[in-house]
Amino acid sequence: MAYSEFFSCAGWREVAALSESKSGREDKNVELSEKRGDLTKGGRSAIKENAHVVAMSLLSDETETAESDRLPSAAHQLSMPDVFIRRARPKPSQVFCTYWWFAYERQNIFYNKIQNPKGPFWTDDATLQLFKFTNAYRASDRVSQFLIRSVQKAHLPGTIDIEETFFRTMLFKLFNKIETWRLLEKSVEEVCWRNYNFKRYNEILSCALQGGNKIYSAAYIMPSPKFGHARKHSNHLVLLEKMMKDKVALQLQQMGGDLSRAFDLIRGYQGIGDFLAYQYVVDLNYGGVLDGSENAFVKAGPGALDGIRKCFPEMGDYTSEDIIRYTCDMQEVAFAELGLHFRSLWGRPLHLIDCQNLFCEVDKYARRHHPEAIGHSNRTRLKQKYRPISRPIEYCYPSQWNLNEKRRGNPGCNNDFPV
């Protein structure tokens, strides 16, 4: 489904003008229904073309609205959860409609790849064909899948070793690169805290660098903590040693499911800012070191802040985290009002971490489709081209999510799990 089709319908201007009239909702819906009949072309295109019309037909019943307060976009008319009607409310732009379309189409690509791994195309959207975008669900991304299956073995039920899971998770995430983990596995008997030796690990990573290999992922910037070493990886190994000696794993276990306190603890270490601390908390929650709900805490990263600003040029009295919670809470209503049948992750709806990531991705997508929308960073180009992986992923998820049996029973070819 191409994005250009989603918001392109010949009679859109007439429909928008009609919806601005002060007639009653019933009369308005009758007239809009007649317009929909003219716009519908059948198949998947009909869903896309009618999305604006459906949203506009759900306008508020308020009759006195200042002209300056009305935005001519379907996003502005999406029903907001009552829980947020307590202060000056955020005002969405058209990019917020794109947010929901992007989540819908990116999740379709996910299932289309499972059904037909060889492709060649899993979407007819040129931007999604050409450039790299993460999945709608963070846990479905390649690096997260490797973490869950190969590093944490979190898909397997049973009791875990908290300290070892913490060590392995943090060691992997400090570099966030599958090739670096495989290098360590090949070079030492077992990657574990019991057998850890700074000199040996440091030597392995130093040799890799000298050989011209990259040991850090390019996904995001990893600042170096200051522990007196010339090389960043050496300082990161010392950081991990300090966390192990401080018994951080046991402290986190005692916090149970309090992701906010876990965030504060990890955030207190050198070289770890808000974004990384939140990512680490989510990853440790996958592995069972923590036992919290991913809907209990969220922290907006730099990319998400750009996407939020594009979706909500006017945020009212709300923080970026408020906006993410609002978005997560309204997902079922938003997809329904826009006429998008979102296929969730085998029955699991989007959680806060997923909605946070989607804001980051829609920031990138909007650079091509909403160039007029301005974020904080003012970035205008998409850099990473999409390159298909050679081997399909056998998806697995944390055992506590209870998704793995559902996935095996219905791998996605006939998936019909709505939000």
Side-chain angles (χ1 to χ4, degrees), residues 260-327:
S260 177
R261 287 178 60 203
F263 169 86
D264 290 338
L265 175 62
I266 294 174
R267 176 68 177 82
Y269 281 86
Q270 264 197 56
I272 301 179
D274 287 354
F275 174 74
L276 287 177
Y278 179 50
Q279 300 298 311
Y280 294 158
V281 164
V282 172
D283 289 317
L284 291 167
N285 205 49
Y286 289 165
V289 176
L290 291 159
D291 184 26
S293 166
E294 287 182 14
N295 279 338
F297 178 76
V298 68
K299 196 70 178 178
L305 293 174
D306 275 334
I308 289 169
R309 182 171 182 180
K310 290 180 180 180
C311 289
F312 293 90
E314 296 181 50
M315 291 176 56
D317 294 328
Y318 290 82
T319 66
S320 297
E321 288 72 28
D322 288 335
I323 294 291
I324 296 170
R325 292 187 186 95
Y326 148 66
T327 301

Side-chain angles (χ1 to χ4, degrees), residues 90-119:
K91 295 181 180 180
S93 72
Q94 192 61 64
V95 185
F96 195 43
C97 273
T98 301
Y99 177 98
W100 297 111
W101 178 88
F102 179 91
Y104 161 82
E105 186 67 4
R106 188 61 187 85
Q107 186 66 354
N108 282 342
I109 294 172
F110 169 76
Y111 281 121
N112 291 341
K113 283 184 177 180
I114 294 175
Q115 183 177 6
N116 183 19
K118 295 183 179 180

Side-chain angles (χ1 to χ4, degrees), residues 1-5 7 94-95 98 101-102 124-129 131 133 310 361-373 380 382:
M1 178 187 293
Y3 171 78
S4 58
E5 298 175 28
F7 286 136
Q94 192 61 64
V95 185
T98 301
W101 178 88
F102 179 91
D124 54 8
D125 182 87
T127 303
L128 294 176
Q129 289 176 6
F131 295 97
F133 293 91
K310 290 180 180 180
E361 297 308 293
V362 85
D363 161 55
K364 295 187 292 185
Y365 191 84
R367 294 174 198 174
R368 296 197 85 188
H369 296 275
H370 296 281
E372 75 287 352
T380 58
L382 290 172

Side-chain angles (χ1 to χ4, degrees), residues 56-75:
M56 293 298 286
S57 70
L58 295 167
L59 287 167
S60 169
D61 285 327
E62 296 175 2
T63 56
E64 296 297 330
T65 304
E67 189 68 29
S68 60
D69 289 339
R70 284 204 299 266
L71 294 180
S73 71

